[in-house]
Every structure is written in structure tokens, then in C-alpha cells.
Amino acid sequence: MTFLSHFPKEELSACVDYLRMTFKSHDVDFVIENIMGLKKEYMLNEPSAKYGYVEKYELDQIRVYRSANLDNRGIMVELAGQGCRQFEAVLEAQGRDWFGFLDFVVNKQKGKITRLDLAIDDIKGYIHIPDALKFTELGYVKSKFNTYDFSGQGSLSNGEREGVGIYYGSKKSNLYIIFYQKNYEQAKKHNIPVKDIGLWNRYEIRLVDEKAMLAVDELLKWQDFSFVGRGLLKDRLEFVYSDTIRGQKKKLRKLVNGWHALVQDVERLKLKNEPSEDFYQRTENWLRSQAGATIRMVQLADDTLGRDSTIEDIINRSELTARQQHMLQIFTSSVQDFISDEGYKNQVII
């Protein structure tokens, strides 16, 4: 499945899908070189207004923000989904893993994890997410959450819901859980039929501030996902069976049994690493999907008219921006080149 570089290889797997951490310091050199273990010269430096920070250092989806000198928030590191995969390539090159890195950040450098998203990928189909939404609406669910929300669409041809997402808990709270049909999300993103992807459910646990810190403590304590199965999924959400239901007993029983099996199997999961060295791949993908046909059209016109290459002339007249020069440097380097000689020493940030 070449169009999906991170399609799960196992029936059930788990990964870090978002990480945000802060340091009460303005020493951005120390954070990049000594904590993240990266060479600062490989980071693109730009002004920033995001989240109220004033400066950004970026290696594609690996981003470090610095606040103004009198702003006591200090420095924030943000890794979104692809950023986590890219940073896993960095950790692998350094001989580290998530457990070692998080322990180093929290217990050695006094960093604070302010957001942590844990994702569970299911290509077995433990539950049918549209059925989970249906029986949630009908009340066959027990939960510590007070609210739920949902998204998706319906098929006029077969009456089924498609691309369903369910949000248990408030998005403004420091813990909520999301179920969604990731195959539909990816099909839309890549403009391909869902059947070409196959079944792919994702269950995400999003944790903020103190919940994120508690989750990191548990991850470091158990070195697996047992606390996710026991303490987050089983404790927070349960589908329940009732003989009183009419006409949908089989579907409800299948959902309840599938949920219990999922929770049990999640407890045995390890964090997977899927390191990606594809930095700035989105730009190359854009060039292929959006500009490729135009380039081909101009080349064919040149061939037909017997004129010199218009594309070559355009290239020769173009000047690279600072960002493009940075991207060229990254394209022509390996992850090992990014690794700092200072890297992740035991000295403590001031």
C-alpha cells in the first residue's frame, strides 16, 4: 500500500500521535541541542505568532517555539502526527526510544508535558464504529463522560453511515476519547476509494496538562499500554448488553463483546515506532499531484512547437527562498546528519 506510508502492519497497534511539552527557560540552543539532540543549524528559524510565541525553529513537523524574554512560558516543543514519526527517526538514530526520551524530559530536565495523544490502530475490526454511535445514541453505554459528539455522513445507496467519528467527553476538558474510521479520512485525503485501503479504525485518547503528566508517569512505570486499557478505556467507557432491546440483539452483543476484547488486548500493547525520514514530503506530494500535469503539458507544448524548454528556462530564472534553501539542505541530508554532538546529556537546563 505505497500511497499510505504508515498503514498499520499489525491487527492492533499503538503509537504517540501528538506531543507538546514546555520548559521554563529561554535557552533554545539547550533545548534543541541537549534535550532533543538535534543540530540547531538544521532548523529553519522564523518569526512566529502561533500560540503567542515570538520565534520558531522548525525541521518540517518538529517545531520548537520560544516566547518573548519577559514571557515566563519559556519554550514549547510541538510534535504533531507526522512530527512524532519524524522524531522517532531521530530517536532511533540516537539509540533512544519514547520511554527514555520522556523520562529524560520529565525527570532529568523538569519539562512539562502539556498535551499527549495516544492512538490505537485497529485493522481487525474489533468494533463497528457506526454501530458504536448507534448504540450510544440509544443509551447502551455507561461512561464517566457527560457528553458526546459525532461527525460523518450517510450513504443514500445503502443507508449506512460512513466516515463516522465519535467524541466522548468535552473537547475543552483535559481528557476525551475519539473513535473514527481512519480509512475514510485517508481515502478522502489521497482521493482514492475506501475499498483500496481496507478496514482501519482509530481510537485516540487525548490528554492535556495534569492528565498528560499522569499518563506519562504511567507509561514510564509500566512500559506498556496496560494503564490505557484498565484506567482510561475500561474505566471511562463501557458498552452494555440488554435482552430488552428489540431487533438489534445480535449487533449489540457483537459490539459489547468486541469492546471487551479490544480493551483486554490494548492492555498488552507496546508503543510502536514507525520512524519516517520523509521530511517535507508534503511539498513533494503537492508537486506531484498539483503541478505535475502542468509541467507535463508545457513540456509537450515545447516538443510540439520545437522550442527550447520552457521549464528549464523557468528553473534557471528562479531564486530559492530561505525556506526552500533550508528544505534543499534537508532533502540532501540524512537523519544522522541532524544529530547533535551535544545530544541529550545529563546536564540540567537552567
XYZ file of all heavy atoms in Angstrom, residues 11-13 120-122 124-127 203 225 228-230 233-234 237-239 252-269:
321
model
N -2.638 -6.180 13.508
C -4.082 -6.031 13.705
C -4.407 -4.943 14.723
O -5.398 -4.225 14.597
C -4.692 -7.354 14.161
C -4.785 -8.401 13.058
C -5.559 -9.634 13.498
O -5.746 -9.820 14.728
O -5.993 -10.400 12.617
N -3.573 -4.824 15.764
C -3.786 -3.822 16.792
C -2.422 -3.256 17.175
O -1.495 -4.013 17.479
C -4.472 -4.434 18.022
C -5.040 -3.454 19.048
C -6.223 -2.686 18.463
C -5.482 -4.187 20.313
N -2.293 -1.946 17.168
C -1.022 -1.309 17.496
C -1.284 0.054 18.112
O -2.390 0.593 18.025
C -0.138 -1.178 16.250
O -0.822 -0.468 15.225
N -4.574 4.303 19.013
C -4.651 2.852 18.868
C -5.244 2.559 17.497
O -6.356 2.998 17.181
C -5.535 2.236 19.972
C -4.952 2.544 21.355
C -5.679 0.729 19.772
C -5.926 2.321 22.482
N -4.492 1.842 16.674
C -4.941 1.496 15.327
C -5.441 0.061 15.300
O -4.777 -0.858 15.778
C -3.801 1.674 14.324
C -3.498 3.137 14.043
O -4.456 3.899 13.842
O -2.314 3.511 14.028
N -6.607 -0.111 14.702
C -7.287 -1.412 14.661
C -7.644 -1.725 13.215
O -8.493 -1.053 12.627
C -8.543 -1.332 15.547
C -9.553 -2.440 15.277
O -9.153 -3.499 14.776
O -10.743 -2.226 15.592
N -8.281 -5.013 12.504
C -9.024 -6.259 12.656
C -10.528 -5.994 12.632
O -11.303 -6.792 12.101
C -8.641 -6.932 13.966
C -9.409 -8.206 14.288
C -8.961 -8.790 15.623
C -9.739 -10.032 16.004
N -9.283 -10.604 17.305
N -10.927 -4.860 13.197
C -12.347 -4.534 13.280
C -12.982 -5.064 14.541
O -14.004 -5.762 14.497
N -12.383 -4.740 15.679
C -12.933 -5.186 16.959
C -14.375 -4.700 17.114
O -15.234 -5.426 17.614
C -12.093 -4.642 18.115
C -10.811 -5.393 18.368
C -9.680 -5.146 17.602
C -10.720 -6.339 19.391
C -8.491 -5.824 17.836
C -9.539 -7.022 19.638
C -8.434 -6.766 18.858
O -7.261 -7.438 19.087
N -14.615 -3.470 16.724
C -15.981 -2.937 16.776
C -16.292 -2.259 15.447
O -15.385 -1.910 14.680
C -16.187 -1.935 17.929
C -15.367 -0.656 17.697
C -15.849 -2.571 19.278
C -15.675 0.459 18.675
N -8.691 4.697 17.537
C -9.207 5.142 18.831
C -8.120 6.019 19.457
O -6.999 5.559 19.669
C -9.510 3.949 19.738
C -10.188 2.804 19.011
C -9.468 1.658 18.653
C -11.529 2.873 18.632
C -10.063 0.620 17.962
C -12.130 1.833 17.951
C -11.403 0.703 17.609
O -11.996 -0.327 16.920
N 0.892 -0.447 27.555
C -0.386 0.263 27.483
C -1.414 -0.280 28.477
O -2.605 -0.023 28.336
C -0.942 0.171 26.056
C -0.732 1.432 25.263
C 0.519 2.016 25.185
C -1.783 2.043 24.606
C 0.717 3.168 24.453
C -1.598 3.195 23.868
C -0.348 3.766 23.787
N -3.757 2.169 29.851
C -4.734 2.701 28.893
C -5.963 1.810 28.865
O -7.100 2.280 28.916
C -4.112 2.811 27.481
C -5.181 3.217 26.466
C -2.978 3.820 27.480
N -5.743 0.491 28.796
C -6.869 -0.439 28.799
C -7.639 -0.397 30.098
O -8.867 -0.285 30.115
N -6.897 -0.485 31.219
C -7.558 -0.536 32.533
C -8.091 0.819 32.973
O -9.246 0.946 33.366
C -6.549 -1.005 33.606
C -6.330 -2.469 33.695
C -5.625 -2.808 35.005
N -4.534 -1.878 35.305
C -3.270 -2.080 34.932
N -2.950 -3.147 34.247
N -2.330 -1.210 35.250
N -9.745 3.372 29.074
C -10.847 2.834 28.267
C -11.880 2.121 29.136
O -13.060 2.483 29.148
C -10.299 1.900 27.194
C -9.377 2.536 26.149
C -8.947 1.503 25.128
C -10.045 3.713 25.467
N -11.451 1.112 29.867
C -12.391 0.325 30.674
C -13.041 1.170 31.754
O -14.240 1.027 32.046
C -11.650 -0.858 31.300
C -12.552 -1.837 32.034
C -11.749 -3.031 32.532
C -12.634 -4.046 33.227
N -11.838 -5.216 33.697
N -15.393 4.100 29.795
C -16.396 3.829 28.762
C -16.693 2.340 28.707
O -15.792 1.512 28.735
C -15.836 4.301 27.407
C -16.784 4.408 26.221
C -17.855 5.450 26.474
C -15.980 4.776 24.975
N -17.982 2.016 28.626
C -18.366 0.607 28.520
C -19.691 0.491 27.773
O -20.643 1.217 28.060
C -18.510 -0.029 29.906
C -18.866 -1.504 29.861
C -19.030 -2.119 31.248
O -18.944 -1.368 32.246
O -19.262 -3.335 31.324
N -19.722 -0.401 26.798
C -20.973 -0.709 26.107
C -21.638 -1.870 26.830
O -20.975 -2.821 27.246
C -20.701 -1.054 24.647
C -20.174 0.103 23.850
C -18.809 0.248 23.633
C -21.032 1.065 23.346
C -18.313 1.316 22.917
C -20.545 2.149 22.633
C -19.183 2.281 22.420
N -25.806 -5.562 18.960
C -25.415 -5.048 20.263
C -24.466 -6.025 20.967
O -23.464 -5.613 21.554
C -26.646 -4.775 21.133
C -26.365 -4.255 22.546
C -25.521 -2.979 22.509
C -27.675 -4.007 23.296
N -24.797 -7.306 20.899
C -23.928 -8.314 21.535
C -22.541 -8.302 20.890
O -21.522 -8.393 21.586
C -24.556 -9.701 21.415
C -23.750 -10.783 22.146
C -24.377 -12.163 22.015
N -25.632 -12.259 22.751
C -26.830 -12.342 22.196
N -26.941 -12.327 20.872
N -27.925 -12.430 22.935
N -22.494 -8.175 19.579
C -21.207 -8.137 18.871
C -20.391 -6.911 19.288
O -19.174 -6.998 19.486
C -21.448 -8.117 17.357
C -20.175 -8.186 16.541
C -20.489 -8.242 15.045
C -19.199 -8.300 14.229
N -19.485 -8.339 12.768
N -21.054 -5.771 19.439
C -20.373 -4.551 19.869
C -19.807 -4.704 21.275
O -18.642 -4.376 21.533
C -21.327 -3.355 19.809
C -20.783 -2.037 20.377
C -19.607 -1.530 19.547
C -21.885 -0.974 20.441
N -20.624 -5.206 22.202
C -20.195 -5.368 23.594
C -19.023 -6.344 23.682
O -18.007 -6.060 24.333
C -21.370 -5.842 24.469
C -20.880 -6.217 25.861
C -22.442 -4.753 24.552
N -19.138 -7.470 23.015
C -18.057 -8.461 23.045
C -16.786 -7.923 22.385
O -15.664 -8.159 22.866
C -18.494 -9.757 22.349
C -19.576 -10.496 23.115
O -19.759 -10.286 24.317
N -20.302 -11.369 22.435
N -16.957 -7.200 21.280
C -15.806 -6.632 20.591
C -15.100 -5.583 21.427
O -13.859 -5.512 21.452
N -15.893 -4.779 22.150
C -15.300 -3.748 23.012
C -14.506 -4.389 24.152
O -13.384 -3.961 24.445
C -16.389 -2.837 23.565
C -15.858 -1.799 24.512
C -16.042 -1.739 25.860
C -15.037 -0.680 24.180
N -15.395 -0.663 26.395
C -14.769 0.012 25.375
C -14.501 -0.179 22.996
C -13.987 1.170 25.423
C -13.717 0.964 23.023
C -13.475 1.623 24.227
N -15.059 -5.417 24.784
C -14.349 -6.097 25.864
C -13.047 -6.718 25.350
O -12.007 -6.641 26.031
C -15.231 -7.184 26.475
C -16.362 -6.632 27.285
N -17.471 -7.381 27.626
C -16.569 -5.405 27.817
C -18.299 -6.631 28.339
N -17.771 -5.434 28.461
N -13.072 -7.295 24.160
C -11.860 -7.894 23.581
C -10.830 -6.821 23.258
O -9.625 -7.013 23.491
C -12.224 -8.676 22.322
N -11.292 -5.685 22.750
C -10.377 -4.579 22.435
C -9.670 -4.085 23.687
O -8.442 -3.941 23.708
C -11.157 -3.443 21.775
C -10.376 -2.144 21.526
C -9.271 -2.365 20.510
C -11.316 -1.032 21.067
N -10.432 -3.820 24.751
C -9.850 -3.314 25.993
C -8.822 -4.303 26.541
O -7.733 -3.915 26.985
C -10.954 -3.038 27.038
C -10.346 -2.758 28.402
C -11.824 -1.864 26.583
N -9.164 -5.578 26.499
C -8.246 -6.608 27.012
C -6.955 -6.657 26.194
O -5.857 -6.744 26.747
C -8.941 -7.966 26.979
C -8.110 -9.091 27.597
C -8.884 -10.403 27.625
O -9.833 -10.600 26.881
N -8.488 -11.308 28.494
N -7.070 -6.572 24.875
C -5.886 -6.661 24.030
C -5.042 -5.388 24.080
O -3.808 -5.445 23.907
C -6.297 -6.964 22.578
C -6.797 -8.402 22.414
O -6.637 -9.196 23.365
O -7.358 -8.713 21.352
N -5.688 -4.245 24.296
C -4.944 -2.987 24.412
C -3.974 -3.039 25.587
O -2.860 -2.500 25.520
C -5.916 -1.791 24.552
C -5.199 -0.553 25.080
C -6.567 -1.476 23.213
N -4.358 -3.711 26.674
C -3.515 -3.774 27.864
C -2.154 -4.402 27.579
O -1.182 -4.131 28.271
C -4.220 -4.559 28.972
C -5.420 -3.846 29.554
C -5.978 -4.558 30.763
O -5.216 -5.306 31.414
O -7.166 -4.375 31.071
N -2.074 -5.229 26.554
C -0.824 -5.934 26.254
C 0.014 -5.221 25.193
O 1.088 -5.699 24.817
C -1.131 -7.365 25.789
C -1.769 -8.226 26.874
C -1.800 -9.689 26.457
N -2.758 -9.925 25.380
C -4.028 -10.290 25.586
N -4.478 -10.438 26.824
N -4.837 -10.498 24.575
N -0.468 -4.098 24.698
C 0.224 -3.400 23.620
C 1.514 -2.731 24.089
O 1.612 -2.259 25.227
C -0.678 -2.331 23.011
C -1.792 -2.784 22.077
C -2.561 -1.567 21.579
C -1.252 -3.584 20.904
